[in-house]
Amino acid sequence: MRSLPRFPDLASAVVLAGLLLLPFVVPVTLAAQIAIFATGTLSVTLLLGSVGLLSFGQGLYLGLGAYVGGLLLRDAGFGLVPSLALATLAGAGLAGLLGSVIVRRHGVYFVMLTLAFAQMGHFATLAFKDITGGENGLSGLPRQFSLLGLPIEGPLSLYGLAAGAFLVVFLLVQRLIASPFGSVLAAIRENEPRCAVLGYPVARYKTAAVALAGGIAGLAGALHVVFLGFVPPSDSDLEMSQRLLVMALIGGVGSPGGALAGAAFYMIAAEALSEIWPRWMALIALLLIGLVLFLPGGLWSLGQRLAALRDREAARG
């Protein structure tokens, strides 16, 4: 069993500094979107980085969180915090239920099951028009909220909410990775048959990880609803799952901090490239190919490589 990593570490300080600087580097509305999608990307980073599970279904849980949060805010009259909490629980509950089935399959079969359930969920949101609004989405949500007596209504306060939520989830994921539970997940990723022989209930550990990732995605969906003021049906489609996966790969799944790096790079690049060429996604695809070939650890690993290079140069000197 590997030694437990330190918590908090340098990555915690880098992420905190990045969140503080972000609204001064890019427009506040874009910064809020980056923080929201970074939260969703954390769900992919947790599964792929810690357990080695490649999921194309995180958009399903993000969409569920969006619709649950939107319905609670609009129809049930729930406040901001209860709506976010219940959306998180809804994502975790559905992910845990489906996870108990799909974690018993491996490799491409696991991936295809996540893809199939994601597609089923999106079609369900389009079919139940009376509840979800179908292709028109869910509109009429409140635009003013309150958190601990503070108003949440302008771009800066919305960014504070999104950044604060991401920071809390990021620290929780870091703490989980640095715990004995995270150590078992890493062992399952490296050698699942050996863990089973040693007596660990592998399926339960993997189901718990899937449920935790689903809850994180559900929270991201509810935050997206609060930011937009409505629930777009695109929150639950396959493209959302692909977008979260691409952000995770760009940032790097070796550390939870890669979620923020990947989301920031993707959103900023999309904002800039879409003004230049309507087919900007092709450029993102080329970038992803380059990263996979020449920087497989993602952007987050670039700092580690530079630090290692500096150490080698210092040793030579």
Side-chain angles (χ1 to χ4, degrees), residues 9-272:
D9 57 9
L10 180 60
S12 310
V14 171
V15 166
L16 178 59
L19 291 173
L20 293 175
L21 293 174
L22 193 58
F24 298 100
V25 178
V26 299
V28 178
T29 53
L30 179 58
Q33 293 182 73
I34 290 172
I36 291 169
F37 282 108
T39 304
T41 305
L42 267 175
S43 69
V44 179
T45 303
L46 173 61
L47 285 180
L48 189 55
S50 298
V51 204
L53 296 176
L54 175 61
S55 172
F56 276 91
Q58 297 313 107
L60 169 63
Y61 312 122
L62 188 146
L64 176 65
Y67 279 105
V68 169
L71 289 170
L72 290 176
L73 288 170
R74 189 191 70 174
D75 299 337
F78 277 49
L80 178 62
V81 174
S83 298
L84 294 177
L86 290 174
T88 303
L89 290 175
L94 179 61
L97 179 63
L98 299 182
S100 64
V101 176
I102 62 178
V103 298
R104 302 182 185 279
R105 297 294 179 262
H106 302 84
V108 67
Y109 301 104
F110 175 89
V111 175
M112 293 306 295
L113 282 173
T114 63
L115 178 63
F117 280 122
Q119 285 291 76
M120 289 172 59
H122 180 58
F123 291 146
T125 61
L126 298 179
F128 294 100
K129 298 181 180 179
D130 294 338
I131 300 175
T132 64
E135 295 181 353
N136 297 322
L138 197 66
S139 58
L141 274 67
R143 297 294 294 153
Q144 296 182 348
F145 307 95
S146 176
L147 179 62
L148 301 176
L150 300 175
I152 306 292
E153 52 187 18
L156 188 58
S157 59
L158 286 172
Y159 171 73
L161 173 67
F166 170 78
L167 182 61
V168 169
V169 175
F170 168 80
L171 292 175
L172 287 175
V173 171
Q174 267 205 322
R175 184 65 188 92
L176 182 146
I177 293 174
S179 69
F181 178 80
S183 185
V184 174
L185 292 182
I188 292 172
R189 180 193 65 213
E190 298 299 328
N191 196 328
E192 182 175 333
R194 184 176 182 182
C195 287
V197 170
L198 290 174
Y200 289 101
V202 171
R204 292 183 184 178
Y205 275 93
K206 291 167 69 174
T207 301
V210 171
L212 288 170
I216 294 171
L219 174 61
L223 290 170
H224 200 215
V225 167
V226 172
F227 173 77
L228 293 177
F230 71 100
V231 183
S234 60
D235 272 5
S236 63
D237 65 11
L238 181 60
E239 184 181 352
M240 179 59 72
S241 298
Q242 295 172 340
R243 187 186 307 178
L244 296 177
L245 180 58
V246 168
M247 290 180 185
L249 293 176
I250 290 175
V253 298
S255 170
L260 181 61
F265 188 93
Y266 182 96
M267 297 298 295
I268 294 173
E271 188 80 10

